[in-house]
Amino acid sequence: MSNEKVYGMSFSKIYPFLVSKAEKKGRTLGEVTQVITWLTGYTAEEIQKAAASSVTYGDFFRNAPHLNPNRKQITGVICGVRVETIEEPLMQEIRYLDKLIDELAKGKAMEKILRG
């Protein structure tokens, strides 16, 4: 799938999959929200508003209030690609979130997920 196709996808279509992945493994919506808030700077209310709107996945990240500087500590493989080597900045941000949700679903402690 091309980057532009991913960027053009609706956040409202992707968000339920992120939540579902975590909840299937016993994690909560609150924890998913905490992860997204940590990464992007959005509040819980802003995330819910974005999930109920037609904002694209690309614009969700482009318009993030405050990308956490500690996100650069996120490493590992997601979808067969090392997140720290992704050259396209916007795709790297998207994959950071994928990696965080993956870590959440795998039962990693929240302190470690949030690079605390």
PDB file of all heavy atoms in Angstrom, residues 26-43:
ATOM      1  N   GLY A  26      -6.774  -7.668  26.528  1.00  0.00           N
ATOM      2  CA  GLY A  26      -7.053  -7.308  27.910  1.00  0.00           C
ATOM      3  C   GLY A  26      -6.658  -5.894  28.302  1.00  0.00           C
ATOM      4  O   GLY A  26      -6.715  -5.537  29.478  1.00  0.00           O
ATOM      5  N   ARG A  27      -6.268  -5.078  27.343  1.00  0.00           N
ATOM      6  CA  ARG A  27      -5.938  -3.685  27.646  1.00  0.00           C
ATOM      7  C   ARG A  27      -7.197  -2.847  27.480  1.00  0.00           C
ATOM      8  O   ARG A  27      -8.227  -3.321  27.001  1.00  0.00           O
ATOM      9  CB  ARG A  27      -4.806  -3.176  26.745  1.00  0.00           C
ATOM     10  CG  ARG A  27      -3.501  -3.970  26.825  1.00  0.00           C
ATOM     11  CD  ARG A  27      -2.972  -4.226  28.226  1.00  0.00           C
ATOM     12  NE  ARG A  27      -2.314  -3.116  28.864  1.00  0.00           N
ATOM     13  CZ  ARG A  27      -1.009  -2.986  29.003  1.00  0.00           C
ATOM     14  NH1 ARG A  27      -0.183  -3.913  28.556  1.00  0.00           N
ATOM     15  NH2 ARG A  27      -0.506  -1.945  29.630  1.00  0.00           N
ATOM     16  N   THR A  28      -7.137  -1.573  27.866  1.00  0.00           N
ATOM     17  CA  THR A  28      -8.348  -0.744  27.891  1.00  0.00           C
ATOM     18  C   THR A  28      -8.287   0.415  26.904  1.00  0.00           C
ATOM     19  O   THR A  28      -7.208   0.805  26.448  1.00  0.00           O
ATOM     20  CB  THR A  28      -8.559  -0.147  29.293  1.00  0.00           C
ATOM     21  OG1 THR A  28      -7.489   0.780  29.558  1.00  0.00           O
ATOM     22  CG2 THR A  28      -8.598  -1.231  30.364  1.00  0.00           C
ATOM     23  N   LEU A  29      -9.466   0.970  26.639  1.00  0.00           N
ATOM     24  CA  LEU A  29      -9.556   2.176  25.819  1.00  0.00           C
ATOM     25  C   LEU A  29      -8.751   3.298  26.466  1.00  0.00           C
ATOM     26  O   LEU A  29      -8.066   4.055  25.776  1.00  0.00           O
ATOM     27  CB  LEU A  29     -11.020   2.593  25.653  1.00  0.00           C
ATOM     28  CG  LEU A  29     -11.266   3.950  24.997  1.00  0.00           C
ATOM     29  CD1 LEU A  29     -10.721   3.983  23.578  1.00  0.00           C
ATOM     30  CD2 LEU A  29     -12.748   4.273  25.009  1.00  0.00           C
ATOM     31  N   GLY A  30      -8.807   3.390  27.788  1.00  0.00           N
ATOM     32  CA  GLY A  30      -8.042   4.418  28.499  1.00  0.00           C
ATOM     33  C   GLY A  30      -6.554   4.299  28.254  1.00  0.00           C
ATOM     34  O   GLY A  30      -5.860   5.306  28.112  1.00  0.00           O
ATOM     35  N   GLU A  31      -6.055   3.069  28.184  1.00  0.00           N
ATOM     36  CA  GLU A  31      -4.629   2.873  27.916  1.00  0.00           C
ATOM     37  C   GLU A  31      -4.276   3.249  26.479  1.00  0.00           C
ATOM     38  O   GLU A  31      -3.226   3.851  26.227  1.00  0.00           O
ATOM     39  CB  GLU A  31      -4.231   1.426  28.207  1.00  0.00           C
ATOM     40  CG  GLU A  31      -4.231   1.110  29.691  1.00  0.00           C
ATOM     41  CD  GLU A  31      -4.017  -0.356  29.977  1.00  0.00           C
ATOM     42  OE1 GLU A  31      -4.681  -1.214  29.347  1.00  0.00           O
ATOM     43  OE2 GLU A  31      -3.178  -0.648  30.859  1.00  0.00           O
ATOM     44  N   VAL A  32      -5.156   2.919  25.539  1.00  0.00           N
ATOM     45  CA  VAL A  32      -4.938   3.324  24.141  1.00  0.00           C
ATOM     46  C   VAL A  32      -4.903   4.847  24.062  1.00  0.00           C
ATOM     47  O   VAL A  32      -4.018   5.433  23.427  1.00  0.00           O
ATOM     48  CB  VAL A  32      -6.027   2.744  23.210  1.00  0.00           C
ATOM     49  CG1 VAL A  32      -5.904   3.322  21.809  1.00  0.00           C
ATOM     50  CG2 VAL A  32      -5.958   1.226  23.181  1.00  0.00           C
ATOM     51  N   THR A  33      -5.837   5.491  24.734  1.00  0.00           N
ATOM     52  CA  THR A  33      -5.888   6.953  24.757  1.00  0.00           C
ATOM     53  C   THR A  33      -4.615   7.526  25.368  1.00  0.00           C
ATOM     54  O   THR A  33      -4.046   8.493  24.847  1.00  0.00           O
ATOM     55  CB  THR A  33      -7.128   7.427  25.538  1.00  0.00           C
ATOM     56  OG1 THR A  33      -8.297   6.917  24.887  1.00  0.00           O
ATOM     57  CG2 THR A  33      -7.193   8.947  25.606  1.00  0.00           C
ATOM     58  N   GLN A  34      -4.159   6.928  26.448  1.00  0.00           N
ATOM     59  CA  GLN A  34      -2.928   7.393  27.102  1.00  0.00           C
ATOM     60  C   GLN A  34      -1.736   7.314  26.146  1.00  0.00           C
ATOM     61  O   GLN A  34      -0.915   8.234  26.082  1.00  0.00           O
ATOM     62  CB  GLN A  34      -2.664   6.565  28.358  1.00  0.00           C
ATOM     63  CG  GLN A  34      -1.505   7.056  29.187  1.00  0.00           C
ATOM     64  CD  GLN A  34      -1.300   6.232  30.464  1.00  0.00           C
ATOM     65  OE1 GLN A  34      -2.045   5.310  30.757  1.00  0.00           O
ATOM     66  NE2 GLN A  34      -0.290   6.578  31.217  1.00  0.00           N
ATOM     67  N   VAL A  35      -1.650   6.234  25.399  1.00  0.00           N
ATOM     68  CA  VAL A  35      -0.554   6.058  24.442  1.00  0.00           C
ATOM     69  C   VAL A  35      -0.628   7.118  23.337  1.00  0.00           C
ATOM     70  O   VAL A  35       0.375   7.753  23.003  1.00  0.00           O
ATOM     71  CB  VAL A  35      -0.588   4.626  23.852  1.00  0.00           C
ATOM     72  CG1 VAL A  35       0.276   4.515  22.615  1.00  0.00           C
ATOM     73  CG2 VAL A  35      -0.162   3.617  24.897  1.00  0.00           C
ATOM     74  N   ILE A  36      -1.821   7.311  22.781  1.00  0.00           N
ATOM     75  CA  ILE A  36      -1.977   8.289  21.698  1.00  0.00           C
ATOM     76  C   ILE A  36      -1.696   9.698  22.215  1.00  0.00           C
ATOM     77  O   ILE A  36      -1.039  10.504  21.547  1.00  0.00           O
ATOM     78  CB  ILE A  36      -3.370   8.199  21.050  1.00  0.00           C
ATOM     79  CG1 ILE A  36      -3.552   6.826  20.386  1.00  0.00           C
ATOM     80  CG2 ILE A  36      -3.570   9.321  20.028  1.00  0.00           C
ATOM     81  CD1 ILE A  36      -4.971   6.552  19.886  1.00  0.00           C
ATOM     82  N   THR A  37      -2.177  10.001  23.411  1.00  0.00           N
ATOM     83  CA  THR A  37      -1.931  11.315  24.017  1.00  0.00           C
ATOM     84  C   THR A  37      -0.430  11.536  24.226  1.00  0.00           C
ATOM     85  O   THR A  37       0.096  12.605  23.920  1.00  0.00           O
ATOM     86  CB  THR A  37      -2.690  11.430  25.357  1.00  0.00           C
ATOM     87  OG1 THR A  37      -4.089  11.346  25.080  1.00  0.00           O
ATOM     88  CG2 THR A  37      -2.401  12.736  26.054  1.00  0.00           C
ATOM     89  N   TRP A  38       0.252  10.535  24.740  1.00  0.00           N
ATOM     90  CA  TRP A  38       1.700  10.635  24.976  1.00  0.00           C
ATOM     91  C   TRP A  38       2.436  10.907  23.662  1.00  0.00           C
ATOM     92  O   TRP A  38       3.312  11.759  23.604  1.00  0.00           O
ATOM     93  CB  TRP A  38       2.222   9.342  25.615  1.00  0.00           C
ATOM     94  CG  TRP A  38       3.699   9.332  25.823  1.00  0.00           C
ATOM     95  CD1 TRP A  38       4.375   9.806  26.910  1.00  0.00           C
ATOM     96  CD2 TRP A  38       4.699   8.841  24.927  1.00  0.00           C
ATOM     97  NE1 TRP A  38       5.732   9.641  26.736  1.00  0.00           N
ATOM     98  CE2 TRP A  38       5.960   9.049  25.527  1.00  0.00           C
ATOM     99  CE3 TRP A  38       4.654   8.244  23.667  1.00  0.00           C
ATOM    100  CZ2 TRP A  38       7.150   8.683  24.905  1.00  0.00           C
ATOM    101  CZ3 TRP A  38       5.844   7.880  23.057  1.00  0.00           C
ATOM    102  CH2 TRP A  38       7.072   8.102  23.682  1.00  0.00           C
ATOM    103  N   LEU A  39       2.051  10.197  22.612  1.00  0.00           N
ATOM    104  CA  LEU A  39       2.749  10.328  21.333  1.00  0.00           C
ATOM    105  C   LEU A  39       2.447  11.651  20.631  1.00  0.00           C
ATOM    106  O   LEU A  39       3.364  12.290  20.116  1.00  0.00           O
ATOM    107  CB  LEU A  39       2.378   9.163  20.416  1.00  0.00           C
ATOM    108  CG  LEU A  39       3.021   9.163  19.025  1.00  0.00           C
ATOM    109  CD1 LEU A  39       4.544   9.032  19.137  1.00  0.00           C
ATOM    110  CD2 LEU A  39       2.438   8.041  18.170  1.00  0.00           C
ATOM    111  N   THR A  40       1.191  12.072  20.635  1.00  0.00           N
ATOM    112  CA  THR A  40       0.773  13.187  19.782  1.00  0.00           C
ATOM    113  C   THR A  40       0.491  14.506  20.493  1.00  0.00           C
ATOM    114  O   THR A  40       0.466  15.548  19.849  1.00  0.00           O
ATOM    115  CB  THR A  40      -0.514  12.818  19.023  1.00  0.00           C
ATOM    116  OG1 THR A  40      -1.571  12.602  19.980  1.00  0.00           O
ATOM    117  CG2 THR A  40      -0.306  11.582  18.158  1.00  0.00           C
ATOM    118  N   GLY A  41       0.182  14.439  21.780  1.00  0.00           N
ATOM    119  CA  GLY A  41      -0.203  15.652  22.492  1.00  0.00           C
ATOM    120  C   GLY A  41      -1.689  15.954  22.437  1.00  0.00           C
ATOM    121  O   GLY A  41      -2.146  16.919  23.042  1.00  0.00           O
ATOM    122  N   TYR A  42      -2.458  15.149  21.702  1.00  0.00           N
ATOM    123  CA  TYR A  42      -3.911  15.336  21.701  1.00  0.00           C
ATOM    124  C   TYR A  42      -4.476  14.968  23.073  1.00  0.00           C
ATOM    125  O   TYR A  42      -3.968  14.073  23.733  1.00  0.00           O
ATOM    126  CB  TYR A  42      -4.585  14.421  20.662  1.00  0.00           C
ATOM    127  CG  TYR A  42      -4.435  14.842  19.229  1.00  0.00           C
ATOM    128  CD1 TYR A  42      -3.648  14.110  18.345  1.00  0.00           C
ATOM    129  CD2 TYR A  42      -5.101  15.956  18.731  1.00  0.00           C
ATOM    130  CE1 TYR A  42      -3.518  14.468  17.021  1.00  0.00           C
ATOM    131  CE2 TYR A  42      -4.980  16.330  17.406  1.00  0.00           C
ATOM    132  CZ  TYR A  42      -4.186  15.589  16.549  1.00  0.00           C
ATOM    133  OH  TYR A  42      -4.071  15.956  15.242  1.00  0.00           O
ATOM    134  N   THR A  43      -5.548  15.641  23.463  1.00  0.00           N
ATOM    135  CA  THR A  43      -6.274  15.254  24.676  1.00  0.00           C
ATOM    136  C   THR A  43      -7.216  14.106  24.321  1.00  0.00           C
ATOM    137  O   THR A  43      -7.484  13.843  23.140  1.00  0.00           O
ATOM    138  CB  THR A  43      -7.112  16.421  25.225  1.00  0.00           C
ATOM    139  OG1 THR A  43      -8.143  16.737  24.269  1.00  0.00           O
ATOM    140  CG2 THR A  43      -6.269  17.653  25.513  1.00  0.00           C
TER     141      THR A  43
END
